């Protein structure tokens, strides 16, 4: 039960998600994970196709039901937690069909249904991302599947078409937004964030040169006046606007490698520096919560490519980009985990005498 409570507390993490495209047509999706801790045992996790798992319940609670057991159709890799024997947990990831997605905190808006509606199947919130990646081959299939589930929080999924869908379970039902601007943060819901962009339609990427006031001409004395007025704090609305403008004006990489590198820079603009956002609601702590600090910060950033099936990441402590290749892993029949590598890693290029 403590492990399940720990997983539920991870749902309180603030996050930013973004879909992007390279000049040569590669489709990328990624996210920042912003929180004041990471569940013990969280690693880059590969889960093979053919894995048996349950949609709700756990072995610890002794409440598993055979009719809620499934077998994965696709292999997947992402940041996850394999300490619950009955079901893997992924915070975000990519499967062998190029479907990518993850969960984002939906504070004060996510609505839990108390009863399973007729014609739907219950699905425990921490299991949603893995279940979608295990069973679906596209955003369209995610949409069709989630309409038959009982869900909470909110999610973003993308694939090789470039579409990013946002799924939000509100008090008046499940809302699925297709063909979005390709950005999502946290509360409020996606329609509010989309409308809020109208407050920033005057932003432009060009520096202002000279300004006339009566008979005075004021010459610009500093660079960087393009995007003047862009919000710079770490609230969900401000991060949404920043990422939307970065996506619109940011230079796309000519290929996957440059696209991933450029996208990491976009995420850095929305990342929480440690010490700037002090936690007011610590949430439920368990014996498995280690290295809990009083600040939310960007623990890691991940970027995936729908075409290559590679999963890239950096951590707060280690900005060197690491990756695993799902194409090389997918023939394996047993789960594999890789350390996040959260120790500083510097490359010395000074010649050694």
């Amino acid at each position: 039960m403590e492990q399940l409570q720990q997983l539920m507390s991870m749902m309180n993490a603030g996050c930013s998600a973004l879909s992007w495209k390279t000049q040569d047509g590669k489709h990328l999706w990624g996210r920042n994970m912003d929180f004041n801790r990471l569940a013990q045992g969280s690693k880059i996790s590969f889960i093979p196709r053919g894995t048996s798992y349950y949609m709700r319940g756990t072995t610890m609670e002794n409440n598993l039901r055979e009719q809620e057991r499934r077998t994965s159709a696709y292999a997947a890799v992402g940041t996850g937690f394999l300490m619950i024997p009955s079901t893997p947990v992924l915070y975000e990831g990519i499967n062998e069909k190029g479907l990518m997605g993850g969960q984002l905190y939906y504070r004060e808006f996510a609505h839990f249904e108390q009863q399973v509606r007729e014609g739907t199947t219950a699905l425990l919130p921490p299991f949603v991302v893995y279940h979608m990646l295990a069973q679906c081959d596209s955003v369209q299939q995610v949409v069709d599947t989630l309409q038959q589930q009982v869900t909470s929080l909110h999610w973003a999924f993308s694939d090789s078409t470039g579409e990013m869908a946002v799924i939000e379970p509100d008090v008046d039902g499940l809302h699925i937004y297709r063909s979005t601007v390709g950005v999502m943060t946290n509360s409020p819901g996606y329609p509010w964030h989309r409308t809020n962009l109208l407050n920033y339609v005057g932003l432009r990427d060009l520096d202002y040169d000279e300004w006339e006031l009566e008979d005075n001409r004021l010459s610009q004395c500093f660079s960087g006046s393009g995007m003047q007025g862009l919000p710079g704090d770490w609230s969900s609305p401000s991060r949404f606007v920043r990422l939307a403008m970065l996506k619109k004006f940011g230079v796309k990489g000519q290929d996957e490698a440059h696209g991933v590198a450029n996208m990491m820079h976009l995420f850095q603009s929305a990342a929480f520096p440690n010490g700037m956002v002090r936690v007011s609601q610590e949430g439920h702590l368990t014996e498995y919560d280690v290295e809990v600090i009083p600040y939310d910060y960007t623990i890691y950033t991940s970027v995936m490519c729908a075409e290559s099936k590679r999963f890239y990441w950096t951590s707060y402590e280690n900005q060197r980009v690491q990756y695993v290749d799902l194409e090389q892993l997918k023939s394996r029949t047993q789960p594999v985990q890789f350390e996040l590598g959260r120790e500083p890693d510097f490359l010395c290029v000074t010649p050694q005498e």
Side-chain angles (χ1 to χ4, degrees):
M1 187 63 180
E2 285 287 293
Q3 288 175 325
L4 182 59
Q5 289 176 330
Q6 181 191 38
L7 288 172
M8 292 301 289
S9 75
M10 281 298 297
M11 305 301 104
N12 297 338
C15 304
S16 302
L18 176 70
S19 64
W20 217 23
K21 185 179 179 180
T22 64
Q23 294 179 30
D24 65 348
K26 301 295 193 305
H27 297 89
L28 309 175
W29 185 89
R31 63 95 57 82
N32 281 344
M33 169 64 82
D34 310 314
F35 203 31
N36 71 331
R37 59 191 183 273
L38 192 62
Q40 185 181 16
S42 296
K43 299 179 181 180
I44 307 303
S45 304
F46 164 75
I47 307 161
R49 73 173 79 95
T51 296
S52 178
Y53 67 95
Y54 290 82
M55 297 174 64
R56 70 169 175 174
T58 67
T59 50
M60 299 93 70
E61 298 171 294
N62 197 29
N63 62 348
L64 298 176
R65 300 197 302 177
E66 186 61 23
Q67 61 266 36
E68 293 170 346
R69 185 169 68 88
R70 298 291 186 272
T71 300
S72 65
Y74 306 115
V77 67
T79 314
F81 184 96
L82 303 183
M83 293 177 69
I84 296 180
S86 48
T87 303
V89 172
L90 290 180
Y91 313 138
E92 83 289 318
I94 182 172
N95 72 10
E96 60 184 284
K97 293 297 183 179
L99 176 66
M100 309 169 285
Q103 65 195 23
L104 293 84
Y105 188 29
Y106 198 32
R107 181 176 178 178
E108 298 296 326
F109 284 80
H111 175 68
F112 289 80
E113 299 204 33
Q114 300 301 311
Q115 301 293 329
V116 180
R117 300 190 312 273
E118 183 178 354
T120 66
T121 304
L123 180 60
L124 198 64
F127 301 161
V128 170
V129 172
Y130 175 64
H131 178 58
M132 295 301 110
L133 296 179
Q135 302 297 340
C136 302
D137 62 11
S138 64
V139 167
Q140 182 62 56
Q141 195 170 0
V142 168
V143 169
D144 294 341
T145 301
L146 277 175
Q147 288 174 332
Q148 303 303 315
Q149 312 290 320
V150 176
T151 58
S152 63
L153 309 179
H154 67 175
W155 293 268
F157 286 91
S158 187
D159 59 20
S160 59
T161 67
E163 178 187 5
M164 176 171 137
V166 173
I167 299 98
E168 296 180 336
D170 295 299
V171 68
D172 60 342
L174 187 69
H175 296 278
I176 298 173
Y177 304 101
R178 307 288 300 270
S179 300
T180 65
V181 299
V183 176
M184 195 59 234
T185 53
N186 308 112
S187 305
Y190 174 75
W192 186 96
H193 284 293
R194 184 177 182 274
T195 302
N196 185 50
L197 289 175
L198 292 174
N199 289 313
Y200 301 93
V201 294
L203 294 179
R204 67 178 198 175
D205 57 343
L206 181 65
D207 266 355
Y208 287 86
D209 183 23
E210 190 176 68
W211 189 53
E212 293 186 16
L213 180 62
E214 297 295 338
D215 295 329
N216 287 269
R217 289 177 176 271
L218 301 178
S219 296
Q220 186 62 263
C221 64
F222 57 85
S223 61
S225 61
M227 287 291 144
Q228 201 163 42
L230 188 70
D233 61 74
W234 293 279
S235 66
S236 175
S238 293
R239 285 182 282 118
F240 189 101
V241 173
R242 279 209 303 286
L243 285 174
M245 294 302 167
L246 286 163
K247 177 174 179 175
K248 176 176 174 61
F249 294 107
V251 176
K252 295 179 173 63
Q254 65 263 36
D255 53 24
E256 180 178 338
H258 290 88
V260 171
N262 288 5
M263 195 168 179
M264 289 290 185
H265 280 290
L266 268 58
F267 276 122
Q268 287 174 2
S269 181
F272 288 44
N274 194 346
M276 298 304 294
V277 183
R278 187 153 55 96
V279 175
S280 60
Q281 298 180 18
E282 191 171 60
H284 180 79
L285 295 178
T286 77
E287 61 182 293
Y288 299 98
D289 287 307
V290 295
E291 299 180 5
V292 181
I293 67 172
Y295 304 100
D296 282 341
Y297 70 107
T298 300
I299 300 174
Y300 67 82
T301 300
S302 60
V303 174
M304 292 141 259
C305 177
E307 284 74 24
S308 71
K309 317 300 190 303
R310 287 181 174 180
F311 182 95
Y312 301 85
W313 77 94
T314 63
S315 70
Y316 190 88
E317 302 83 1
N318 181 4
Q319 290 294 297
R320 179 175 290 191
V321 179
Q322 305 169 78
Y323 75 89
V324 293
D325 192 328
L326 181 56
E327 286 292 341
Q328 295 182 24
L329 291 170
K330 68 181 183 181
S331 61
R332 296 189 180 217
T333 59
Q334 297 297 319
V336 182
Q337 288 192 296
F338 306 87
E339 296 290 343
L340 278 164
R342 296 177 63 188
E343 291 298 320
D345 183 7
F346 303 112
L347 177 65
C348 177
V349 297
T350 305
Q352 300 299 310
E353 295 182 1

